Amino acid sequence: MAHKKGQGSVRNGRESHSQRLGIKLYAGEAVLAGGILVRQRGTRYHPGRNVGRGRDDTLFALADGVVMFDRQGRRVNVVSPAS
């Protein structure tokens, strides 16, 4: 008789945590300078007016304003709320 319980095998447990990528603010939403607009791998979306690109291709606002998309939704801009 065994005096210790068997270890058993673990079939799951190898999955990595999700990276939470995607668009964080959509067209028409207000954003403050420094706010993250898009988390992405590669340049699926490109930075436009008042939008910067981080080292990991994250797009962020350089100025306060409203989010706008153009170029068939592939370029992200931040425009002042007045315009």
Side-chain angles (χ1 to χ4, degrees):
M1 295 273 301
H3 292 285
K4 305 225 177 202
K5 286 183 141 186
Q7 185 66 34
S9 64
V10 177
R11 293 181 188 223
N12 296 324
R14 288 179 300 280
E15 292 82 22
S16 58
H17 295 291
S18 61
Q19 296 180 315
R20 276 88 172 177
L21 301 177
I23 298 175
K24 304 301 177 186
L25 289 174
Y26 293 94
E29 293 191 87
V31 64
L32 299 176
I36 293 176
L37 304 172
V38 181
R39 286 246 184 228
Q40 60 184 350
R41 295 292 167 260
T43 52
R44 181 182 184 95
Y45 298 96
H46 294 272
R49 283 177 296 171
N50 295 321
V51 176
R53 184 169 70 90
R55 202 168 46 89
D56 63 347
D57 297 315
T58 295
L59 300 185
F60 58 92
L62 295 173
D64 298 352
V66 176
V67 180
M68 250 186 51
F69 288 84
D70 61 2
R71 289 227 180 137
Q72 284 81 42
R74 294 295 184 170
R75 185 168 64 185
V76 187
N77 300 295
V78 172
V79 296
S80 62
S83 62

